[in-house]
Amino acid sequence: MNKFVEKLKNIGPGALVAAGFVGPGTVTTCTVSGASYGYTMLWCLLFATVATIIFQEMAARVGIISQKGLGENIRDRIPNAVLKWIAIIIVIVAIFVGNVAYETGNITGGTLGIRAINSDLQLIPIVIVLGLAAFACMWFGGRKVIEKVLTAIVVFMGVVFLVTALASSPDWGAVLKGLFTPQIPEGAGILTAVGLIGTTIVPYNLFLHASSAAQRWTDPEHVSDARFDTALSIGLGGIISMAILICAGANIFGTGVEVKNGADMAVALSPVLGDWATWLIALGLLAAGFSSAMTAPYSAAYAVNGVLGWKKSTDDIQFKAIWVVVLLCGCVMAIVWGSSPTQLILVAQAANAIILPIMAFFVMYCANSKDLGTFRNHAFANVCGVLIIVITLFMCYRNMNAFITSLSALISG
């Protein structure tokens, strides 16, 4: 019992990752999926949660044993100069594109929260205020305290979804079938399935986890603590994501309501909160969007600085320049395409899922390094990793046409 309590005290980096993926993208994507297709897409979240635990454990293990971030590991472990620079360019492009897409979803999620209370507010002023607030928090170093408060709000929202899922008396037989029977329901595109995976297995979280685990634990003996932290935190995050989908499936599916904004999402919580549901969704989306709007640019800066071999100090001008560009691009894209917020967020999650196999490959490459000794990947981890990469590659291949069509519709609309 004492050992278990001690392990709970060491919870940290895994919880940071879970808080990172339970953001506005998760709330939106899971709600849209549940409202549109009931419980049939729960298997995507189960697969994504297990896959996230497997790859985040690898990233944390690599960080602890090497005492370096994932970016530094990728740079240091490729001996051939040409291959090294090819890998560096791939990582930079993938991380930049993925984080800009994710940042766009974060800013858009924050606007969804505000406009759930007052739909008459204009999009552009809201985005500018959110962007300036995030910039000020990151530039002047006030980010961490604010993130803790906002994360607490997001956790509270997640708990309310969990309670509501139980109180909504869903068809548990259908829930179990949705969890363990992979299928794409009629009328649903592969984009929805890939979006659910992309909102859970977030590529930049691999870099964030490796760096934070290296800072938290310096002794290889603590790898077991990191595994416990990863499995518990991400497992709970996955359960919350499933609860969001179940709430929407139980309370919106079949009613004819099309989820287009935060007020529509609030219907999923109405059985427990009644008229207060809109306020909680609004506050939760704003908190999740704003906290993630700071985390994503920072993660991109850590990843790019690491892979280029630059200093990682948050005060360095190169570090600041990277996160400023990511934040600015996210704000601009939110303004340009924010008129269709739920569709924009779905496309952003799908973009992350497309990038995922590339980052997963690099994690597996580092986790199989002989330098890790007995902590390198064993056969089971490699088999699971390869299987996940193959499945995600297949889904991304099938998703490409739908992704391009949705992106084109978003741009033209």
Side-chain angles (χ1 to χ4, degrees):
M1 185 65 181
N2 289 334
K3 283 187 176 181
F4 181 76
V5 173
E6 196 63 32
K7 284 182 178 291
L8 286 178
K9 290 180 181 178
N10 282 322
I11 293 294
L16 185 64
V17 170
F21 75 71
V22 182
T26 296
V27 177
T28 302
T29 308
C30 292
T31 301
V32 170
S33 177
S36 303
Y37 314 112
Y39 314 122
T40 54
M41 305 293 278
L42 278 168
W43 64 271
C44 291
L45 290 176
L46 179 61
F47 167 78
T49 301
V50 173
T52 303
I53 291 173
I54 290 171
F55 277 105
Q56 294 293 164
E57 186 278 333
M58 289 185 201
R61 178 161 33 93
V62 168
I64 294 170
I65 303 303
S66 67
Q67 284 298 290
K68 296 177 182 178
L70 186 57
E72 294 96 320
N73 272 280
I74 293 171
R75 179 184 177 84
D76 294 345
R77 296 184 188 283
I78 301 177
N80 184 280
V82 175
L83 292 178
K84 177 182 292 188
W85 275 104
I86 290 174
I88 288 172
I89 292 170
I90 290 173
V91 169
I92 290 174
V93 172
I95 284 295
F96 182 79
V97 171
N99 276 56
V100 167
Y102 211 78
E103 184 69 355
T104 304
N106 294 332
I107 298 294
T108 304
T111 65
L112 268 177
I114 293 175
R115 298 178 88 182
I117 301 300
N118 188 343
S119 59
D120 293 330
L121 293 174
Q122 296 299 306
L123 175 66
I124 294 177
I126 298 175
V127 172
I128 292 174
V129 170
L130 287 176
L132 288 175
F135 174 86
C137 290
M138 289 188 285
W139 189 271
F140 296 108
R143 174 181 71 94
K144 290 186 177 180
V145 174
I146 294 173
E147 271 190 344
K148 288 180 180 179
V149 175
L150 297 176
T151 300
I153 295 172
V154 175
V155 170
F156 176 71
M157 180 181 65
V159 171
V160 172
F161 268 113
L162 194 58
V163 172
T164 305
L166 296 173
S168 297
S169 301
D171 181 345
W172 291 108
V175 168
L176 290 174
K177 183 180 179 181
L179 274 172
F180 299 108
T181 309
Q183 59 177 310
I184 304 295
E186 186 177 349
I190 192 74
L191 184 72
T192 306
V194 174
L196 287 170
I197 293 171
T199 195
T200 307
I201 320 175
V202 183
Y204 79 69
N205 273 343
L206 296 167
F207 291 84
L208 183 63
H209 202 175
S211 296
S212 57
Q215 293 173 2
R216 170 62 69 90
W217 295 292
T218 57
D219 192 328
E221 292 183 359
H222 292 147
V223 168
S224 61
D225 291 332
R227 285 172 176 153
F228 177 84
D229 171 38
T230 300
L232 180 63
S233 299
I234 295 173
L236 288 174
I239 290 172
I240 288 174
S241 297
M242 294 174 197
I244 296 171
L245 191 151
I246 290 171
C247 284
N251 301 311
I252 303 179
F253 179 62
T255 63
V257 174
E258 184 180 357
V259 177
K260 294 183 177 179
N261 51 50
D264 294 334
M265 294 182 203
V267 177
L269 292 174
S270 57
V272 169
L273 295 182
D275 294 337
W276 288 99
T278 300
W279 285 94
L280 179 67
I281 283 289
L283 182 60
L285 285 172
L286 176 60
F290 189 64
S291 60
S292 297
M294 294 185 286
T295 303
Y298 253 60
S299 299
Y302 274 119
V304 173
N305 271 263
V307 82
L308 288 175
W310 294 345
K311 294 180 180 179
K312 291 192 298 181
S313 171
T314 56
D315 294 327
D316 290 334
I317 191 64
Q318 300 103 316
F319 189 95
K320 289 183 175 180
I322 294 167
W323 67 250
V324 167
V325 170
V326 172
L327 175 62
L328 182 61
C329 289
C331 289
V332 170
M333 290 174 68
I335 289 173
V336 174
W337 296 315
S339 57
S340 303
T342 54
Q343 183 63 25
L344 176 59
I345 290 174
L346 285 172
V347 171
Q349 307 315 310
N352 264 303
I354 292 171
I355 292 165
L356 170 65
I358 302 172
M359 296 299 102
F361 167 79
F362 283 118
V363 172
M364 284 196 63
Y365 176 81
C366 294
N368 277 284
S369 174
K370 293 180 180 179
D371 295 346
L372 300 184
T374 58
F375 291 97
R376 64 187 296 194
N377 268 10
H378 294 297
F380 179 75
N382 283 328
V383 170
C384 291
V386 169
L387 185 61
I388 292 167
I389 290 175
V390 169
I391 292 172
T392 52
L393 277 172
F394 173 73
M395 294 187 72
C396 289
Y397 169 75
R398 290 284 305 277
N399 165 67
M400 194 57 68
N401 286 336
F403 174 74
I404 293 173
T405 301
S406 297
L407 185 60
S408 299
L410 191 65
I411 294 173
S412 61

